[in-house]
Amino acid sequence: MNVPFWAWLAVLAFIVLMLAVDLFAHRKAHVIRVREAALWSAVWVAFGVGFGVLIWQVYGAEFGQQYFAGYLIEKSLAVDNVFIWAIIFTYFAVPREYQHRVLFFGVLGALIFRGIFIAAGSAIIASAEWVLYIFAAFLLITGYRMIRHRNDMLDPAKSRALKLFRRRVPMTNDFHGQRFLIRKNGILLATPLLAVLVLIEVTDIIFAVDSIPAIFAVTDEVFLVFTANAFAILGLRAMYFLLADMIHRFIYLKIGLALVLIWVGIKMLLKIDIYYIPTPLSLAVIATILGVSIGVSLWATRGQERRAPEGPAHSPFGTTSPEEIVALEPLWGRRRGTKATSTHQQGDAEKSDADPHSPTKGDAHER
């Protein structure tokens, strides 16, 4: 697959453009409703599928199918990531109107880290093909462990990353709007929102360790690996707001994801020296596993309404008022008008020194 350099630049430019559009569309903090989340989800899926159709037309059916297999794997594993986000937001009692900002920077970080992991993985495989055996074994073990611990839930309170962050970084006990950092009494402090962002980034890195080897099982093309990851990740924010209130209904999805990992692990193991499973067959198996696990989950939980995950009895953090936020010290430099005030005060002091009968001079002399 010969991909020109300008194609890479075009994809990166499109990603940056869409991130800018998304940031502008959500520049004001507000609660994202299901209808808005569904609309944005449809937009991101349309872009992902449309890009796959373009690959199919330009490079042929084989590469098009490889892209869609990778996109489907990344999209399905992302659903599990979405559920972890819901648990984290619930634990920290993050107001819903601030969640999109955290996820925006979380997705931005995910794209950067995924790009690094993909480049590293490609270089390792090119120099030492035997690493594929390790990747395959890792996928099989991960799938088995996912089935065995399918009912285990993440407990943010036990997160080592969170404990390390709170031990090393001074942090306030209150949310200050959408700010990640504030300055109080001249000291730079993190807000709980930054702790949430750090925890989300750490969990995504952990998920990337599973998903990157999985997608290399269906395609060796770095361009397809990156674009499938990118288009799957770009829609994660909208997917979160669409599915966060439905976590309780996807009761068999974890088993489906585990079976997908086991399947691609077997595919990777076989293709090294034994047999290359055709991409159409691999794509069909992945789609069937995911479709059945989702369909059975929704059927078994039919009649259950949407509901937000249960949060802590008492919110661990407070929220500041808009007036308190406005009164915060600027993060960098001086607040507007501070310089002028300082200059004015300096001029008064100079005049006071020149005039011995000045009240200021007299007060200073008395003191």
Side-chain angles (χ1 to χ4, degrees):
M1 185 178 184
N2 185 20
V3 181
F5 182 67
W6 64 262
W8 280 95
L9 292 179
V11 169
L12 293 175
F14 178 78
I15 291 173
V16 172
L17 175 63
M18 291 308 301
L19 286 172
V21 170
D22 193 350
L23 184 62
F24 179 79
H26 300 90
R27 61 191 182 279
K28 293 184 179 179
H30 67 281
V31 177
I32 297 180
R33 305 295 181 185
V34 174
R35 184 177 179 180
E36 181 182 356
L39 178 61
W40 276 99
S41 293
V43 169
W44 291 119
V45 170
F47 284 139
V49 173
F51 185 81
V53 172
L54 180 63
I55 293 293
W56 196 305
Q57 291 179 343
V58 175
Y59 292 100
E62 175 63 23
F63 289 122
Q65 291 166 357
Q66 289 181 16
Y67 168 83
F68 279 115
Y71 178 77
L72 203 55
I73 289 173
E74 294 301 324
K75 202 70 172 176
S76 60
L77 291 175
V79 174
D80 202 24
N81 206 355
V82 162
F83 293 165
I84 297 298
W85 290 352
I87 294 173
I88 294 173
F89 281 139
T90 300
Y91 170 79
F92 281 91
V94 179
R96 298 196 67 149
E97 59 267 27
Y98 303 152
Q99 293 176 4
H100 182 276
R101 182 175 177 84
V102 176
L103 294 182
F104 176 85
F105 287 101
V107 166
L108 184 61
L111 286 170
I112 295 173
F113 283 117
R114 296 293 178 99
I116 295 172
F117 290 162
I118 291 169
S122 176
I124 292 172
I125 292 173
S127 60
E129 193 172 348
W130 55 266
V131 172
L132 292 175
Y133 288 107
I134 298 177
F135 282 0
F138 177 78
L139 292 172
L140 293 173
I141 294 172
T142 302
Y144 167 75
R145 292 184 62 186
M146 190 177 289
I147 292 176
R148 185 176 180 182
H149 301 285
R150 61 187 180 275
N151 295 321
D152 294 351
M153 300 295 289
L154 171 73
D155 186 357
K158 298 180 180 179
S159 169
R160 295 180 181 178
L162 179 60
K163 291 178 180 178
L164 179 63
F165 179 87
R166 301 194 71 170
R167 187 164 59 245
R168 299 292 184 181
V169 181
M171 192 175 81
T172 68
N173 292 320
D174 300 311
F175 291 104
H176 290 73
Q178 298 190 88
R179 295 170 182 257
F180 294 111
L181 296 168
I182 65 167
R183 186 176 294 277
K184 184 176 290 187
N185 298 325
I187 301 174
L188 197 64
L189 301 172
T191 69
L193 216 56
L194 183 60
V196 174
L197 176 59
V198 169
L199 195 55
I200 283 178
E201 290 290 3
V202 171
T203 57
D204 183 76
I205 291 173
I206 294 173
F207 273 93
V209 174
D210 296 338
S211 65
I212 299 302
I215 195 171
F216 271 113
V218 296
T219 180
D220 298 324
E221 298 294 336
V222 179
F223 184 72
L224 298 183
V225 173
F226 176 75
T227 52
N229 261 275
F231 282 105
I233 290 172
L234 283 172
L236 281 187
R237 296 180 306 285
M239 183 187 292
Y240 165 77
F241 292 107
L242 186 63
L243 300 179
D245 295 345
M246 296 179 63
I247 296 177
H248 57 286
R249 296 200 58 188
F250 292 90
I251 56 177
Y252 300 118
L253 180 61
K254 201 124 189 176
I255 296 177
L257 297 177
L259 293 177
V260 167
L261 291 179
I262 292 173
W263 166 253
V264 295
I266 293 173
K267 173 180 168 60
M268 179 177 281
L269 199 60
L270 292 177
K271 85 170 186 177
I272 299 173
D273 296 312
I274 303 174
Y275 175 70
Y276 178 77
I277 299 176
T279 303
L281 175 59
S282 180
L283 180 59
V285 170
I286 294 170
T288 300
I289 292 174
L290 295 175
V292 170
S293 62
I294 293 174
V296 173
S297 295
L298 296 178
W299 174 262
T301 58
R302 62 189 182 281
Q304 296 186 21
E305 298 180 354
R306 303 177 67 97
R307 67 169 185 264
E310 295 182 5
H314 302 286
S315 177
F317 303 103
T319 56
T320 55
S321 65
E323 292 77 15
E324 291 175 306
I325 295 175
V326 171
L328 286 173
E329 300 174 31
L331 276 181
W332 320 113
R334 297 175 175 177
R335 189 183 300 278
R336 185 180 300 175
T338 303
K339 185 175 181 180
T341 303
S342 176
T343 304
H344 179 70
Q345 291 174 346
Q346 184 178 355
D348 289 344
E350 292 174 353
K351 180 187 288 187
S352 172
D353 290 338
D355 183 4
H357 300 290
S358 168
T360 306
K361 182 75 175 179
D363 293 341
H365 180 71
E366 289 177 6
R367 286 194 296 269

